[in-house]
Amino acid sequence: MNVEDIPQILTTLQTGKMTLRGQFVHGSNYTFLASIVQADREYPAVYKPVRGEQPLWDFPAGSLSGREVAAFLVSQALGWQLVPPTVYRRKAPLGPGSVQFYIEHNPEYHYFSFTPEDKQRLRPVALFDLVVNNADRKGGHILVDENQHLWLIDHGICFHVEDKLRTVIWDFAGEPIPPDLLADLTRLLNELERAGDLVEQLKPYLSPAEIRALERRTRRLVENGCFPHPAASRRPYPWPPV
C-alpha cells in the first residue's frame, strides 16, 4: 500500500459494496472479514459492528468502533502510517461499525518472535501507544506486511482520560526520544492545541475530555523528551500478552 493510495482506499471502504467472507473467532467482540468492491477495485477489510461490541465498565457503550477510526486519524497526523486505513461506516451488513483495510501478514511473526532488528523499529509504536493511551497492545497486534512495513491493529480500547496503558513494548524505557520522532510529536501537539482540522475529525469519535487528555499526554511526552518506565502502581502489561 502506498501513501497515495490511501484516499482511494478510504472511499472504497466507505462506499463500496461489502460482502462478509468469514468471522474472526478469537476475540471479545464480533469481528468479520469482508471484501469491498467499487468499480474495478476490491479490497479485503476487517469489519467490527457496534452491535457486536461487548460492554465494558470503563468505556462508553458503542464507542469502540469510533476509537478505531480515531487511532487511524492520529497515526496519519503523526505521519507514521502505522494504522491501516479505517473508516466508520453506517451502512453495512450488520449495522454501523468500523471498517479497516486488511493487512496480509504471517500471524506467527509478532513481537515475541521478531528479530532484534525489527524490535529496534518499534520506537514509533511505543510512542503511538503512549499518545493514544492503548489499554491492550498485545504482541500479536503488531503486523509486518510483505514489504516489511509495520502495522498496528485493535485500538478499540484507547483514548481513555485515565491512564490505562498496557503494552508489551517497554524496550526503550528511559531512552531519549529520537529527534525526528520528537519533532512529529511536537507537530501533533501544535495541531491539538490550535484545535485545527484533526480535532474536528476526532470530535465524532471522542469526547471533549478525551481529546483534551490526548493533548495532555502528547505534551507530557514532548516536555519530558524520553520514553517513560512502566507504572509501578498498576499492571502495565496486557493479558494475554500475544
Side-chain angles (χ1 to χ4, degrees):
M1 183 197 317
N2 298 316
V3 174
E4 56 268 22
D5 296 332
I6 290 178
Q8 180 186 83
I9 292 172
L10 292 171
T11 298
T12 301
L13 294 180
Q14 185 67 257
T15 61
K17 180 181 178 182
M18 182 189 296
T19 303
L20 300 186
R21 299 299 185 190
Q23 182 177 355
F24 297 97
V25 295
H26 299 294
S28 303
N29 304 306
Y30 284 85
T31 305
F32 299 89
L33 178 66
S35 63
I36 303 182
V37 178
Q38 188 172 65
D40 59 346
R41 299 184 295 275
E42 180 175 0
Y43 297 126
V46 177
Y47 167 46
K48 297 182 177 182
V50 171
R51 65 191 291 187
E53 296 177 6
Q54 298 300 310
L56 297 171
W57 70 269
D58 51 350
F59 284 84
S63 73
L64 306 192
S65 293
R67 295 169 195 276
E68 298 274 3
V69 182
F72 167 70
L73 294 171
V74 172
S75 170
Q76 292 301 104
L78 284 163
W80 294 349
Q81 199 176 339
L82 290 171
V83 179
T86 311
V87 301
Y88 188 86
R89 180 164 168 157
R90 298 193 177 279
K91 293 184 178 181
L94 298 175
S98 64
V99 181
Q100 184 173 86
F101 185 87
Y102 175 78
I103 301 297
E104 295 285 351
H105 65 284
N106 175 5
E108 300 302 317
Y109 190 62
H110 50 68
Y111 173 82
F112 293 103
S113 57
F114 278 172
T115 64
E117 293 76 15
D118 273 343
K119 282 197 173 182
Q120 287 299 308
R121 300 169 60 200
L122 297 179
R123 285 176 178 82
V125 177
L127 291 171
F128 180 76
D129 286 339
L130 286 160
V131 166
V132 303
N133 196 16
N134 192 347
D136 193 35
R137 174 62 69 211
K138 293 178 169 59
H141 294 173
I142 310 166
L143 316 182
V144 180
D145 69 14
E146 60 183 6
N147 297 315
Q148 303 307 301
H149 186 92
L150 289 171
W151 295 102
L152 309 179
I153 61 170
D154 286 347
H155 298 102
I157 51 174
C158 293
F159 298 104
H160 202 283
V161 295
E162 299 174 7
D163 181 16
K164 298 279 184 179
L165 181 66
R166 289 190 290 270
T167 174
V168 297
I169 308 171
W170 293 102
D171 307 60
F172 315 110
E175 289 186 8
I177 299 171
D180 58 332
L181 299 180
L182 190 59
D184 293 335
L185 290 168
T186 302
R187 189 181 66 252
L188 174 65
L189 177 59
N190 291 337
E191 176 69 13
L192 293 168
E193 287 178 334
R194 70 182 185 87
D197 292 343
L198 175 61
V199 170
E200 290 301 314
Q201 292 168 356
L202 290 172
K203 282 181 177 178
Y205 311 113
L206 302 178
S207 71
E210 288 168 337
I211 294 174
R212 290 193 298 271
L214 169 63
E215 181 183 329
R216 288 196 300 272
R217 290 190 298 270
T218 307
R219 181 181 297 108
R220 186 163 59 244
L221 276 175
V222 169
E223 291 177 349
N224 291 343
C226 63
F227 291 86
H229 289 274
S233 58
R234 60 171 185 79
R235 177 170 60 86
Y237 302 97
W239 186 262
V242 180

